[in-house]
Amino acid sequence: MTKKQRSHGKLHRRVAGLLALGFALMTLGLLYGAFAPQPQVAQAQGDPAQLRKGEQIYNNTCISCHGANLEGVTDRGPSLIGAGEASVYFQTATGRMPATKQEAQISRKPPKLTPEEIDALIAFVDSKGGGVKLPEESGKDLVGDNPARGGELFRLNCASCHNFTGRGGALSSGKYAPALDGVSEKEMYAAMVSGPQNMPKFSDRQLSPEEKKDIIAYVKSVTDGNNNPGGNALGGLGPQSEGLIAFIVGMAALVGITLWIGAKA
Amino acid sequence: MSSTNPTDLPSDDELAQMSREDLVKLGGKLDGVEIVEYPDPWPVKGTRAEKRAERAVALWFLIAAISGFAFVGVFLFWPSAYTAPDTEGYFAYSLFTPLLGATLGLSVLAIGAGALLYTKKFIPHEVAVQQRSDGGSSELDKKTILAHLADAGDRSTIARRSLIKSSAGLGMTAMGLGVGVFALGGLVRDPWAQTDTKNSLWHTGWMNEPGNNEKVFLRRATGHAHEVVLVKPEDLDAGSMETVFPFRESEREDHHALSAALKRSDNPVMLIRLRSEDGRKVVKHQGQEDFNYGDYYAYTKICSHLGCPTSLYEQRTNRILCPCHQSQFDALQYAKPIFGPATRKLAQLPIAVDEETGYLYARSDFIEPIGPAFWERKS
């Protein structure tokens, strides 16, 4: 073999080696792309303009209690990393957030943020760690078709705090379970999956979406003056208030009529 | 007491001759009543006013009749089957109960009004004077009545018939005892009877009958009594609470047992999944260190004060509240009472995960009695 032939063979081998390596790398890359699991970490998604708007709203309204990086501020507000769509939607759409002061329980009030602002804020918070999603549907689509079963589930899971017709009730140290009148279907669903304040969470594996919708159907059928044949629920507390009113008002009316008859006779 | 002189009474012949008016007067006189005035409310018959009054009374009774019939009609024919709000026919359905009340109530009211109006318009408003004696009975009356009673007792010879007296006393005492047992006997239970069965005060429905080594799984109630859904550790989010009931594989097809398990009063157990950061703070009870499974803790739902369902779980403060008397238990400290009248902790159920199926199960029954105190209970 001459020297020239040797160098030619060397070049040939090098080119072939490079080609083989490139092919192998490409195959590996393709295979990885095909089989690698989707990343588990949350990533910023969606419209960058939306995220910027959300960040601006966050910096204007939330940052003093939840921190510059959503990490939370001790004794002011919890971390929002992983809070999720459902939680942000519930807290802002019911006006609980932005809160006006620190107290035992943040109450419902007219929302401060517009729906567009809420959407932007949801996108921003969701980009920082994901969390529990909102349902796809809203409004009437979240009302199940079996309110009777929803009633069973409501009495087992919800009624101990919210009362059996959603009138609410007291908890410890000034906290309370709110009445469910005027709460939209989507807010109720978001509350169940996100567990706002001291309410426990009800994951979709614990109460399936269908069961949640049945519960919403039941709540909708007994709140906002529905299924209230007497015209006045008298607090919806059961026999105590009804008995008291029947006794005081009924007895007073009977005594009054008797006196009137006696006076006329 | 009438003090009519017997000589004033008419003889039988006179009585036969007396008119009804005379008889009325006589009756009044015998009771010491004298009718002064007995005016006819309508001295001139057939006036327009009288007719109007008559029609008014009839109108009330007619209203009573119409609303009474309306009640029957509503009861029979009005749509009374449950109709959900926002669906067609809800408005008609929502009127069912008010209509029942309104129609029957109006009927009762109209009958009352008609009767009152009739009394007012047509019954003469008499003026009568009745003699009334003041003070108590006369000495004569008192003496005679006492003598009468004593005489009756004497003639019954009860004073010297001791056999009858004592047998009657025995009979009445035994009957009283029977009534007392009837009223109270059902409330007394022997806590030492059947101490090794689940029907005793010492155990719950989570206990297997002796000799049965089946696993007792944690079952979720889904609103369908015969549906079996078991609980896996990944089912609950952190900061969740769920009520679970015992389930044995041998009961899967037994519909009666499946629905009975959901209703048995000592069965409900709160399965709580703490947040991991709270789980690290948990203080466990001595001897019950391995009763939890990770962040899952299972406490009885029956309050240790008077047995109400203590299912108000606050997931931020990790307190469990009882709605009846405001007892509070700390889920991070073996559910010990921290407020209110309860003095004992909520019993904890030892749980683990079945390696074959991945479902949570109870390793045994509670190791202490659940619910309110009873005398023989040591703690």
Side-chain angles (χ1 to χ4, degrees):
Chain A
M1 254 201 291
T2 62
K3 195 178 176 184
K4 195 177 178 184
Q5 272 175 320
R6 251 199 329 270
S7 74
H8 178 78
K10 213 174 173 180
L11 183 73
H12 184 85
R13 276 203 308 279
R14 273 193 186 161
V15 171
L18 275 175
L19 275 176
L21 186 66
F23 182 72
L25 279 175
M26 214 161 88
T27 315
L28 196 67
L30 284 173
L31 279 174
Y32 178 80
F35 290 109
Q38 288 297 309
Q40 293 289 316
V41 291
Q43 287 182 322
Q45 280 164 351
D47 186 4
Q50 177 96 332
L51 289 180
R52 271 200 303 281
K53 186 182 172 194
E55 184 170 13
Q56 204 173 14
I57 296 163
Y58 181 86
N59 289 343
N60 286 341
T61 52
C62 323
I63 197 164
S64 55
C65 296
H66 293 293
N69 296 307
L70 290 77
E71 76 280 17
V73 177
T74 311
D75 292 338
R76 280 205 209 153
S79 165
L80 295 186
I81 293 165
E85 286 182 353
S87 183
V88 179
Y89 174 78
F90 178 83
Q91 297 290 353
T92 52
T94 63
R96 286 176 168 84
M97 292 291 148
T100 47
K101 62 176 172 182
Q102 297 284 341
E103 51 193 326
Q105 175 148 340
I106 314 281
S107 302
R108 188 188 180 99
K109 55 184 180 294
K112 225 24 192 189
L113 302 177
T114 65
E116 294 76 34
E117 288 173 325
I118 289 173
D119 284 344
L121 191 62
I122 286 173
F124 173 69
V125 175
D126 200 44
S127 73
K128 304 276 181 184
V132 184
K133 297 277 174 208
L134 276 172
E136 303 277 325
E137 311 98 314
S138 64
K140 291 275 171 286
D141 293 337
L142 283 173
V143 177
D145 50 12
N146 193 347
R149 184 199 190 195
E152 294 272 333
L153 292 166
F154 186 85
R155 285 186 286 275
L156 181 68
N157 292 298
C158 324
S160 49
C161 298
H162 285 290
N163 160 302
F164 49 89
T165 53
R167 304 264 75 78
L171 296 175
S172 72
S173 310
K175 299 188 283 294
Y176 61 92
L180 300 180
D181 293 299
V183 182
S184 80
E185 293 87 352
K186 199 172 175 184
E187 287 161 6
M188 252 185 263
Y189 198 101
M192 282 191 262
V193 290
S194 70
Q197 303 193 50
N198 267 296
M199 175 167 160
K201 291 175 192 167
F202 295 91
S203 77
D204 282 352
R205 298 174 305 281
Q206 180 180 348
L207 280 177
S208 70
E210 282 63 44
E211 290 173 329
K212 288 195 177 79
K213 288 175 191 171
D214 283 346
I215 288 177
I216 292 173
Y218 172 74
V219 174
K220 280 286 159 202
S221 73
V222 292
T223 52
D224 301 329
N226 285 328
N227 275 319
N228 186 11
N232 189 331
L234 303 176
L237 299 170
Q240 291 93 337
S241 57
E242 290 169 19
L244 195 71
I245 296 287
F247 197 79
I248 293 175
V249 176
M251 290 289 257
L254 284 181
V255 169
I257 290 174
T258 313
L259 287 175
W260 177 72
I261 291 170
K264 292 289 246 183
Chain B
M1 202 162 278
S2 71
S3 50
T4 315
N5 194 337
T7 52
D8 288 354
L9 287 177
S11 66
D12 288 351
D13 285 345
E14 281 170 333
L15 199 62
Q17 298 290 318
M18 284 171 87
S19 68
R20 189 196 283 164
E21 205 171 326
D22 294 335
L23 284 168
V24 168
K25 273 195 175 149
L26 176 65
K29 209 166 101 188
L30 289 176
D31 287 339
V33 176
E34 191 187 344
I35 295 166
V36 180
E37 196 188 9
Y38 215 155
D40 187 341
W42 305 101
V44 184
K45 298 294 162 199
T47 58
R48 201 173 282 179
E50 186 188 357
K51 286 228 166 71
R52 204 162 49 230
E54 202 177 348
R55 277 199 298 271
V57 172
L59 182 67
W60 278 113
F61 287 132
L62 208 62
I63 291 172
I66 290 169
S67 51
F69 283 128
F71 171 80
V72 176
V74 169
F75 187 86
L76 291 179
F77 303 115
W78 199 271
S80 62
Y82 176 72
T83 312
D86 302 327
T87 53
E88 204 183 334
Y90 171 72
F91 181 68
Y93 159 74
S94 71
L95 292 179
F96 178 66
T97 312
L99 277 177
L100 287 182
T103 48
L104 195 62
L106 182 63
S107 190
V108 171
L109 197 73
I111 287 194
L116 271 176
L117 198 63
Y118 178 75
T119 316
K120 194 170 150 58
K121 296 280 184 196
F122 294 98
I123 306 290
H125 298 267
E126 70 195 29
V127 178
V129 178
Q130 179 170 19
Q131 301 300 328
R132 196 173 70 183
S133 55
D134 293 332
S137 304
S138 69
E139 203 57 31
L140 177 79
D141 286 340
K142 286 184 197 167
K143 282 235 152 103
T144 50
I145 197 76
L146 280 178
H148 196 75
L149 286 174
D151 184 56
D154 211 27
R155 281 176 200 277
S156 73
T157 65
I158 191 70
R160 55 192 172 83
R161 302 217 183 263
S162 57
L163 177 66
I164 291 180
K165 256 198 299 194
S166 49
S167 62
L170 183 70
M172 280 187 255
T173 309
M175 189 198 72
L177 192 71
V179 170
V181 168
F182 177 70
L184 300 174
L187 305 176
V188 180
R189 282 176 73 187
D190 178 4
W192 300 112
Q194 306 179 314
T195 48
D196 54 350
T197 79
K198 62 180 179 183
N199 292 325
S200 73
L201 288 173
W202 304 89
H203 294 290
T204 71
W206 291 86
M207 183 201 184
N208 273 329
E209 296 300 337
N212 182 359
N213 292 323
E214 262 187 285
K215 277 191 171 145
V216 185
F217 288 97
L218 275 57
R219 176 188 167 203
R220 165 179 299 150
T222 61
H224 299 304
H226 305 147
E227 191 179 13
V228 177
V229 181
L230 304 181
V231 183
K232 284 192 170 179
E234 66 262 34
D235 285 357
L236 269 64
D237 278 345
S240 289
M241 193 277 278
E242 158 151 62
T243 308
V244 290
F245 302 87
F247 168 75
R248 296 168 183 83
E249 202 56 50
S250 62
E251 293 169 351
R252 188 173 282 276
E253 302 301 325
D254 185 350
H255 281 189
H256 175 72
L258 285 180
S259 80
L262 299 178
K263 291 178 187 141
R264 203 185 138 103
S265 59
D266 57 10
N267 273 354
V269 160
M270 289 180 289
L271 180 66
I272 293 173
R273 182 177 180 184
L274 301 175
R275 297 153 180 284
S276 306
E277 63 264 33
D278 291 334
R280 285 192 281 277
K281 294 184 235 160
V282 166
V283 178
K284 292 177 189 172
H285 194 272
Q286 195 176 21
Q288 306 185 4
E289 291 88 352
D290 59 347
F291 276 22
N292 59 310
Y293 177 80
D295 290 333
Y296 282 84
Y297 291 77
Y299 298 113
T300 177
K301 196 172 180 172
I302 312 302
C303 184
S304 64
H305 174 226
L306 286 178
C308 282
T310 61
S311 53
L312 285 71
Y313 170 59
E314 297 180 354
Q315 59 115 348
R316 291 267 167 201
T317 58
N318 288 300
R319 285 187 200 175
I320 302 163
L321 276 55
C322 181
C324 292
H325 306 100
Q326 284 70 48
S327 292
Q328 294 177 18
F329 305 89
D330 188 352
L332 299 187
Q333 295 188 67
Y334 53 87
K336 77 166 185 180
I338 52 173
F339 181 86
T343 54
R344 273 168 289 112
K345 72 189 198 70
L346 298 176
Q348 192 176 352
L349 187 72
I351 51 170
V353 166
D354 180 32
E355 290 185 359
E356 277 172 49
T357 57
Y359 292 122
L360 286 162
Y361 73 100
R363 293 196 281 119
S364 74
D365 190 16
F366 296 97
I367 60 165
E368 58 199 312
I370 66 156
F374 48 95
W375 288 331
E376 285 75 3
R377 203 184 152 137
K378 291 282 184 289
S379 56

